[in-house]
Amino acid sequence: MAAARLSALDASFLEVESPTAHMHVGWLATFAPPEDGPTPSFEDVRAHVESRLCRAPRYRQRLAPVPLGVHDPLWVDDEDFDCSRHLHCASTTDISALADEVMSVPLARDRPLWEMWIVPRLPDGGVGLVGKAHHCLVDGIAAVELASLLLDVTPEASPTESDGWRPRSSPGGLSRLTGAVKDRVEEELGLLRLPVRVARSPRCLLGAPREARRVAGAAVSSLGPTRPDHLLNQPTSPLRHLARLDRPLEDLRRVKSHFQTSLNDVVLAACAGGIRRFLERREEPPRRFKTMVPVNVRGEGADGELGNRISFIFVDLPCDEPDPVARLYDVHRATSDRKRAGRPEGAETVLKAVSYAPRPVQQMASRMVASDRAFNLTISNVPGPEEPLYMLGCRLREAYPVVPLADRHALAIGMHTSGGGAFFGLY
């Protein structure tokens, strides 16, 4: 796979990483024992995962920085790639403790930015898997799609032919530097040509005021300061804990249909109720929290792309509202207003505009958006396939997402739907 440069958004997740903020997304999954035949061993699972890597070539690439930091790093083939450095056999059958330990350690940047830990025999005879990948490599949607590459819709694994992969030689430092300068010049020329393209297109001119309002609204929403909360925005440590909760997906759909909202609205309202009860038990006054909600902006035909194709909306989570139905309608009004105003598209435009800025400006913007003065917590809804999925004959039972935590953020909630279940990962 040829070298490719990180996008500005992908690179921003490298910029905001710190010893106490590990920017990896992750998952905890459990599989039932196969109905026929023995449970696969660690060696069986490792060979299976290795055979499927041809479907995701980025997982055999590492980062190559640009000299002098004049541009974002490149993805290059890892000439020393060894699958055994990424696939590990767990020494414990306690998958909860394993997840906490794995998620508390950052990924090494001298190799492809992913790892999987396999529990070959859970106490009930099933198989467990804990995985993580750096956010600069995948967003939540791409992580689910990548995980699904390892799975099949039938108990029988579909055959995979070897792609005969051989790593391409990496470009040298001088080549990376000259390529980065060339890309920067082309980006600046593209920015300069933008007014000409707009002037030649009446449609662009007619849409310009609307787009300007979108961008301005997204910028105010994203960068407008909020008050850090003494519970959710304290200084953080490297240590992580993943709490889990599951519900039948039909329960959430029943609420969605009855009140004519979206499934995401139901998730946000449920989280608001949970946080409200947490505050009450702590004898804290109920209050609202500015919540970052990632939005998938992949277009048609973009399924299977790695990297980040997400934008954001910000919602004041109504934890101060005692009535659950009123909370749901409050959330629904807020998300509907932001979508009608084009906030996700406007935020995407802001992110693209920042990519043309000098590197110090990009870095400052990344830190500003990840700050505890920009939002209090993150809630992400990551939809998955509804049909049953299998790995080497073992049916997927649970799949809990891990949403990364920026510095001074104590809570991120992810919800993943799969096989009729709704799986909440409270990280």
Side-chain angles (χ1 to χ4, degrees):
M1 188 175 182
R5 192 173 308 285
L6 269 72
S7 71
L9 178 57
D10 293 345
S12 71
F13 294 113
L14 292 175
E15 178 61 33
V16 300
E17 188 164 49
S18 76
T20 55
H22 315 139
M23 287 292 108
H24 46 245
V25 300
W27 58 93
L28 180 158
T30 67
F31 298 82
E35 295 182 1
D36 299 311
T39 300
S41 66
F42 166 72
E43 290 75 17
D44 293 331
V45 177
R46 181 172 65 183
H48 175 70
V49 173
E50 191 167 6
S51 73
R52 298 288 178 95
L53 287 180
C54 59
R55 302 183 182 185
R58 187 74 78 219
Y59 270 47
R60 295 184 294 207
Q61 292 195 311
R62 61 175 176 82
L63 289 174
V66 174
L68 306 180
V70 299
H71 212 317
D72 297 319
L74 293 171
W75 290 112
V76 300
D77 288 350
D78 183 7
E79 296 172 344
D80 298 318
F81 180 75
D82 182 350
C83 213
S84 65
R85 301 168 77 188
H86 302 272
L87 295 167
H88 310 282
C89 186
S91 59
T92 178
T93 59
D94 185 344
I95 195 168
S96 294
L98 174 67
D100 292 355
E101 181 180 352
V102 169
M103 297 305 164
S104 297
V105 180
L107 286 157
R109 292 196 185 181
D110 63 346
R111 64 191 69 174
L113 294 172
W114 65 278
E115 285 182 359
M116 289 187 192
W117 295 76
I118 298 158
V119 183
R121 186 60 63 94
L122 293 169
D124 65 357
V127 177
L129 191 152
V130 173
K132 61 181 178 180
H134 201 283
H135 209 341
C136 74
L137 176 63
V138 291
D139 57 29
I141 297 292
V144 168
E145 290 172 351
L146 181 81
S148 69
L149 295 179
L150 310 178
L151 307 177
D152 296 281
V153 295
T154 63
E156 297 74 31
S158 60
T160 302
E161 294 185 7
S162 172
D163 60 350
W165 180 77
R166 294 289 184 275
R168 295 179 179 230
S169 58
S170 303
L174 181 59
S175 176
R176 296 200 302 273
L177 178 60
T178 56
V181 172
K182 176 177 176 291
D183 288 349
R184 274 293 181 199
V185 171
E186 288 179 350
E187 290 166 3
E188 295 299 326
L189 289 175
L191 186 61
L192 291 173
R193 284 194 295 267
L194 181 61
V196 177
R197 292 200 301 271
V198 171
R200 288 176 177 173
S201 172
R203 184 175 297 177
C204 285
L205 287 172
L206 290 173
R210 184 188 309 165
E211 180 65 16
R213 286 194 296 272
R214 283 181 178 181
V215 172
V220 170
S221 176
S222 304
L223 302 178
T226 191
R227 179 179 297 176
D229 187 82
H230 70 277
L231 285 180
L232 297 185
N233 305 119
Q234 297 179 5
T236 49
S237 83
L239 303 181
R240 297 291 182 265
H241 174 60
L242 179 67
R244 294 176 283 157
L245 171 73
D246 67 278
R247 296 289 296 177
L249 179 56
E250 186 54 37
D251 285 2
L252 279 70
R253 284 180 169 161
R254 191 178 299 116
V255 176
K256 161 189 173 291
S257 299
H258 183 81
F259 293 102
Q260 296 295 297
T261 66
S262 71
L263 188 68
N264 198 47
D265 293 336
V266 178
V267 171
L268 291 170
C271 292
I275 295 173
R276 177 182 172 84
R277 286 194 294 275
F278 169 74
L279 294 173
E280 289 173 344
R281 289 168 187 162
R282 295 287 295 261
E283 298 184 349
E284 289 273 344
R287 50 193 180 272
R288 293 184 170 235
F289 296 97
K290 186 178 178 183
T291 303
M292 175 187 280
V293 182
V295 177
N296 180 28
V297 293
R298 278 175 169 75
E300 292 292 330
D303 291 345
E305 285 186 2
L306 296 184
N308 289 273
R309 293 302 311 280
I310 53 174
S311 185
F312 307 94
I313 60 174
F314 292 86
V315 175
D316 287 333
L317 205 65
C319 306
D320 57 341
E321 172 55 62
D323 182 74
V325 175
R327 282 198 296 269
L328 177 58
Y329 281 133
D330 188 306
V331 166
H332 179 63
R333 283 191 298 272
T335 58
S336 299
D337 289 348
R338 281 151 183 77
K339 289 174 183 176
R340 277 195 299 269
R343 291 290 172 81
E345 296 85 356
E348 187 183 20
T349 302
V350 171
L351 292 171
K352 288 180 179 177
V354 170
S355 69
Y356 289 105
R359 288 275 292 170
V361 175
Q362 291 184 32
Q363 293 166 351
M364 181 179 67
S366 298
R367 296 190 202 101
M368 189 182 304
V369 172
S371 164
D372 59 336
R373 294 187 176 277
F375 65 99
N376 300 121
L377 76 156
T378 303
I379 300 177
S380 181
N381 175 11
V382 185
E386 294 192 21
E387 67 269 20
L389 295 172
Y390 300 84
M391 182 181 69
L392 296 176
C394 301
R395 179 171 174 168
L396 177 65
R397 290 185 301 201
E398 308 168 294
Y400 298 93
V402 169
V403 178
L405 290 167
D407 264 328
R408 299 186 68 91
H409 288 84
L411 176 65
I413 302 174
M415 193 278 283
H416 173 57
T417 57
S418 177
F423 302 99
F424 290 79
L426 293 91
Y427 188 50

